[in-house]
Amino acid sequence: MLLSRNIINCFKFKRKYYCSQNYSTEIKSNGLKVLFFGTDTFSLPSLKVLHKHNGSNDQLGVVTSFKSPANCVRVYAEQQKLLLHKWPITPEHCRPFDLGVVVSFGHLIPTPIIKAFPLGMINVHASLLPRWRGAAPIIYSIMNGDQETGVSIMRIEPKRFDVGDVFAQQKVKIDPGVFMPELHKELSEKGADLLWQVISEYPKSFENPMKQNDQEATYAPKITPDIYEINWNRLTALEVFNRHRALYGFKSLTSKFQQKSIELLEISLPAQTSATEGSSSSPGSLSYHYKRKCLRVQCANNTFIEVHRLRIEGKKAMSAMDFNNGFLKKLQSSEMEFQYNKVICC
């Protein structure tokens, strides 16, 4: 997916000018030979769509990593007896094909590989470029409370990330309660359909691509601990909940309790919060809500989240009730607080 590409430092590079490649326009619109680059569940729908429409296995090849035997792209290619190459490859592997297609591949594509294709290479990116260029666009769109996102089909440029001309885009609404796996699945399917639309309508679809406006660009770099370690002093309850939704299925939000690491596995926003609740407390303070059977944790701006399931370092996952019975009842109220891993919230 989109979560694994190691590009966080590349956004710091200064923009440079590279000579553009003159791509062929003489290839017939039907029967494009495609070499597909992908590794994960975001890639697979695009590979399946290409395989469905390409007619024969001679028209489609696959490049993927062989590090994990559970790689779904590799498994599908082997099952369908598609031409399969282990990454890395050489330009010679590309020359029988007209176009390279990259979908959540996770590796930098060298310039000689890009230039080996008469039509160059295109990419399915899970955002409305130039918003959220980078490795984790789906996570950042949810985390920042975006109301919509989408997919973009763009040209891959040598030595530059997510800056190429855009051939097509499709918007997707982000529902307030959506979690990352659900949006990930929807975008992977929308991206696959849009990819085939662009390829099937060649050469018309390649004629007038949209230039990206760099002034409007935002970035979605690789996820680091600063994202999933909760700073209770700085984040409101809504911001904590958005991070939980954005990282769900990938990383759990973490905190500290009694010098032990805590993973928050299931959280929600309360339906309503009393105006006086926690007014004399500080961010990170927590209490057990007997009626709701959950922990109430104070966040920034006197807002609160509810914690329903959690895991303490060295322990199995437990309910809020079990946490209360096993830990909170033994403590003084002054000790009942979660702490930021780097700066104690007090």
Side-chain angles (χ1 to χ4, degrees):
M1 170 163 136
L2 51 158
L3 301 175
S4 62
R5 291 185 296 170
N6 186 19
I7 62 175
I8 184 171
N9 291 324
C10 297
F11 298 125
K12 300 177 182 178
F13 293 169
K14 294 182 179 179
R15 299 292 299 274
K16 295 182 180 180
Y17 176 80
Y18 294 92
C19 295
S20 60
Q21 181 178 354
N22 293 320
Y23 298 103
S24 171
T25 57
E26 299 178 356
I27 296 173
K28 294 181 180 180
S29 61
N30 59 337
L32 290 181
K33 292 185 177 182
V34 174
L35 187 58
F36 181 85
F37 297 69
T39 58
D40 60 19
T41 55
F42 191 86
S43 312
L44 189 58
S46 291
L47 176 58
K48 288 183 175 181
V49 165
L50 291 175
H51 187 216
K52 174 184 177 182
H53 291 289
N54 256 346
S56 72
N57 287 9
D58 294 337
Q59 299 289 103
L60 179 64
V62 177
V63 178
T64 192
S65 170
F66 278 38
K67 291 182 179 180
S68 171
N71 179 335
C72 60
V73 169
R74 177 184 174 183
V75 170
Y76 181 84
E78 290 174 339
Q79 289 175 343
Q80 302 299 321
K81 295 180 172 52
L82 297 173
L83 177 65
L84 182 61
H85 295 299
K86 177 182 178 181
W87 180 259
I89 62 172
T90 67
E92 284 66 34
H93 292 102
C94 308
R95 302 202 193 284
F97 298 91
D98 304 312
L99 177 70
V101 171
V102 178
V103 186
S104 191
F105 185 51
H107 299 279
L108 173 67
I109 308 294
T111 300
I113 298 296
I114 299 172
K115 292 187 174 182
F117 296 98
L119 297 181
M121 301 187 76
I122 62 176
N123 171 242
V124 179
H125 187 79
S127 79
L128 297 174
L129 292 169
R131 186 163 179 79
W132 302 134
R133 293 174 175 174
I138 300 176
I139 288 177
Y140 276 81
S141 63
I142 297 176
M143 186 172 70
N144 284 271
D146 291 359
Q147 296 182 352
E148 71 173 12
T149 184
V151 287
S152 302
I153 311 300
M154 54 156 286
R155 183 181 297 285
I156 291 181
E157 297 290 347
K159 302 179 182 180
R160 302 164 72 185
F161 296 92
D162 301 333
V163 300
D165 294 349
V166 176
F167 298 103
Q169 290 184 323
Q170 183 174 346
K171 294 181 179 180
V172 173
K173 180 182 177 182
I174 302 179
D175 293 328
V178 75
F179 282 69
M180 189 270 285
E182 182 182 349
L183 185 59
H184 181 279
K185 182 176 185 296
E186 181 178 8
L187 290 175
S188 70
E189 293 170 352
K190 298 286 188 184
D193 291 339
L194 191 63
L195 170 66
W196 178 247
Q197 179 181 319
V198 169
I199 291 177
S200 65
E201 293 178 0
Y202 172 84
K204 182 179 179 181
S205 59
F206 275 48
E207 289 175 355
N208 295 299
M210 178 189 74
K211 297 286 184 182
Q212 293 190 46
N213 185 344
D214 293 340
Q215 301 302 315
E216 297 177 355
T218 60
Y219 299 98
K222 188 174 68 172
I223 300 303
T224 63
D226 287 338
I227 300 297
Y228 53 83
E229 293 175 356
I230 305 174
N231 187 327
W232 301 100
N233 277 320
R234 295 183 180 178
L235 299 178
T236 66
L238 179 59
E239 290 170 332
V240 171
F241 183 60
N242 284 346
R243 291 195 181 203
H244 173 66
R245 294 190 299 120
L247 293 166
Y248 191 82
F250 175 64
K251 287 283 188 182
S252 296
L253 297 182
T254 65
S255 190
K256 285 282 188 180
F257 180 77
Q258 297 289 293
Q259 304 305 311
K260 290 185 178 292
S261 180
I262 296 282
E263 293 180 78
L264 306 184
L265 305 178
E266 184 180 336
I267 69 175
S268 65
L269 292 172
Q272 59 182 17
T273 303
S274 168
T276 60
E277 182 178 5
S279 58
S280 61
S281 302
S282 59
S285 299
L286 59 107
S287 61
Y288 182 69
H289 193 287
Y290 282 89
K291 185 176 181 180
R292 293 277 295 159
K293 296 182 179 179
C294 68
L295 301 175
R296 283 281 180 93
V297 188
Q298 186 171 343
C299 306
N301 298 344
N302 201 34
T303 57
F304 294 81
I305 61 163
E306 295 182 346
V307 178
H308 303 276
R309 291 182 66 249
L310 65 163
R311 180 186 294 113
I312 300 178
E313 179 183 348
K315 304 287 185 181
K316 294 181 180 180
M318 65 183 74
S319 67
M321 179 186 293
D322 290 338
F323 180 80
N324 179 58
N325 293 335
F327 295 91
L328 293 189
K329 286 184 176 180
K330 302 175 183 179
L331 300 176
Q332 301 293 325
S333 60
S334 61
E335 300 175 300
M336 294 170 59
E337 67 177 19
F338 286 144
Q339 301 166 341
Y340 180 40
N341 283 351
K342 295 180 180 178
V343 179
I344 295 178
C345 294
C346 58

